[in-house]
Amino acid sequence: MGLVQAVVGAVGGALGDQWKDFYTVPDGLAPTAALFAAVPRGTNAGRGSNTHGSSNIITNGSKIVVPEGYGLLLMQDGKITGFAAEPGGYEWRSDDVNSKSIFAGDGLVSSLITQSWERFKFGGQPGSQQFAFFVSLKELPDNRFGTQSEIYWDDGFLNTQVGAVTRGSYTLKIVDPILFVKNFVPASYLQPGPVFDFTDLDNAAASQLFNEVVGSLAPAFSLYTNDPSKGNRITKLQQDSLGFAKSLSDAVENAYQWKSDRGLAIVKTAIVSIEYDANTRELLKTVQRADALSGARGNSNLQASVAQGMQSAGENGGAAGMMGIGMASGMMGGLGGLQQPAAPAAPAADDPVAKLKKAKEMLDLGLITQQDYDALKAKALGL
């Protein structure tokens, strides 16, 4: 009974696989999908009857349509046999006996009877596996990263170590599909049905990439802020999606060899937030004040501050306050362009006539006695 079933299965399967197929992308595909199997369209709008072909056999003469932004990867018996990077329609041709078809000009005997005999050996199933996969060649968005605690790096502008909690996202691109499939994609995705998506939380391989990106953030920040062409300014980072993407991609490559071993590269980044730790925030305030007091603007601010200080010292501390201002200005290298106030004119020499006149007025008013007036007169006249 098993022999009859095997023969029926072998002949029926061989007949079903004689039809040419039309392969394209599956319905409802997410924009972040990176790798997925091409699916046959056995029916369309109620027309077509090619519904009994084997799921792992592609008949010679079948057409595979590759849309823009995707590559076509062919596999047979677990081995990559071809790749096409250009969009358009492609025709499948294989020397495998299971792919032969009378509709592709392979002849009746070789395409049907030979297939039936070969499938009989495997219990009615084809003894071969043929797959066509689409690989995205576009930038794949919405790959997110974030740190739960502060990361620290050496900042070239601040000239010290700084720390921050940061989060953002990046776009990823498959730059070498062959390396990507051979060295990174798990076998469970190399069959019809599963879709390899970097944003899938259940994708363990994608989770590994997330951890490697987080582990590369500190070196990436250090590379960026220590690059003289970036002006060593961390403040430029959120405005420079391409520049920081290169630093992050270089850091990932140095640590994990994404491009050389896996055919992957980070293209663009978007920094959503950078929350510096308390020490770094205080340091940034000091640097901002120093920036504000540099150059011509700083000279004007300094002169205004010193002038205000001199006024306050004169009102509150007299000569002692003025001395403190002078000492401070000496420590700062002088008052620069400030003009010193003119010294008061020396008092005129004593006039004896004026003194006598004033003394006489005081005598007449009864403020002094005659004896006092005579003494003042003798002193004024030098007697």
Side-chain angles (χ1 to χ4, degrees):
M1 191 68 178
L3 179 62
V4 174
Q5 290 179 346
V7 172
V8 172
V11 176
L15 285 171
D17 288 336
Q18 295 297 303
W19 295 101
K20 295 181 181 181
D21 293 312
F22 182 80
Y23 287 83
T24 184
V25 298
D27 295 328
L29 193 66
T32 51
L35 176 74
F36 47 91
V39 295
R41 297 292 186 185
T43 60
N44 187 353
R47 293 187 296 273
S49 58
N50 189 11
T51 58
H52 300 288
S54 302
S55 60
N56 57 350
I57 293 296
I58 303 177
T59 304
N60 280 347
S62 295
K63 188 174 183 180
I64 306 175
V65 177
V66 182
E68 290 281 358
Y70 292 90
L72 176 64
L73 189 72
L74 305 180
M75 297 186 70
Q76 179 160 329
D77 297 334
K79 182 179 180 180
I80 297 175
T81 58
F83 178 75
E86 297 296 326
Y90 293 85
E91 184 178 295
W92 173 274
R93 299 297 301 184
S94 173
D95 293 333
D96 189 278
V97 63
N98 295 286
S99 292
K100 295 183 180 298
S101 169
I102 57 175
F103 302 115
D106 293 325
L108 179 62
V109 174
S110 60
S111 61
L112 184 58
I113 299 178
T114 305
Q115 280 187 39
S116 300
W117 171 245
E118 291 297 323
R119 296 187 186 199
F120 170 73
K121 299 177 183 178
F122 291 93
Q125 299 182 25
S128 181
Q129 283 189 331
Q130 299 167 339
F131 297 127
F133 291 96
F134 290 115
V135 183
S136 178
L137 303 180
K138 304 177 181 181
E139 291 183 35
L140 298 169
D142 203 30
N143 300 282
R144 302 182 182 184
F145 62 82
T147 59
Q148 295 182 346
S149 59
E150 290 86 356
I151 57 173
Y152 293 89
W153 68 91
D154 294 324
D155 191 283
F157 174 67
L158 298 178
N159 199 29
T160 188
Q161 189 180 73
V162 300
V165 174
T166 183
R167 61 189 180 92
S169 63
Y170 62 91
T171 62
L172 192 63
K173 191 170 185 179
I174 302 171
V175 294
D176 191 327
I178 306 299
L179 277 179
F180 173 64
V181 172
K182 292 181 67 174
N183 295 347
F184 189 70
V185 178
S188 58
Y189 290 95
L190 299 179
Q191 56 184 321
V195 176
F196 189 98
D197 191 329
F198 291 107
T199 64
D200 184 2
L201 298 178
D202 295 327
N203 186 341
S207 297
Q208 176 64 28
L209 295 182
F210 169 84
N211 294 331
E212 292 176 0
V213 167
V214 172
S216 302
L217 284 174
F221 281 129
S222 184
L223 284 172
Y224 188 89
T225 58
N226 287 280
D227 185 352
S229 66
K230 304 293 187 301
N232 302 122
R233 292 278 186 165
I234 194 67
T235 53
K236 292 184 178 180
L237 187 147
Q238 290 174 282
Q239 306 168 5
D240 188 6
S241 62
L242 292 177
F244 182 67
K246 184 180 184 307
S247 297
L248 183 57
S249 183
D250 289 345
V252 168
E253 182 65 20
N254 291 337
Y256 304 103
Q257 293 77 52
W258 275 23
K259 190 172 184 179
S260 56
D261 286 355
R262 301 170 179 172
L264 299 172
I266 294 174
V267 182
K268 294 185 181 70
T269 57
I271 304 297
V272 177
S273 68
I274 300 178
E275 301 174 7
Y276 296 104
D277 63 7
N279 292 336
T280 303
R281 289 197 300 269
E282 189 62 32
L283 182 59
L284 285 172
K285 290 180 182 178
T286 303
V287 171
Q288 288 171 350
R289 286 194 293 266
D291 285 347
L293 294 175
S294 63
R297 178 186 298 177
N299 186 45
S300 299
N301 289 339
L302 179 59
Q303 292 185 24
S305 299
V306 172
Q308 180 63 38
M310 292 175 65
Q311 180 179 352
S312 300
E315 293 174 352
N316 302 323
M322 296 298 293
M323 182 181 295
I325 291 294
M327 292 177 63
S329 65
M331 293 173 63
M332 293 184 292
L335 298 182
L338 288 179
Q339 294 182 350
Q340 301 294 338
D350 291 342
D351 185 2
V353 176
K355 285 187 174 184
L356 288 174
K357 185 178 179 180
K358 186 167 183 161
K360 183 66 171 64
E361 291 175 354
M362 293 173 70
L363 177 62
D364 294 338
L365 293 172
L367 297 176
I368 60 176
T369 64
Q370 183 64 44
Q371 186 178 356
D372 294 331
Y373 173 75
D374 291 339
L376 290 172
K377 178 180 178 182
K379 185 178 180 180
L381 298 174
L383 299 177

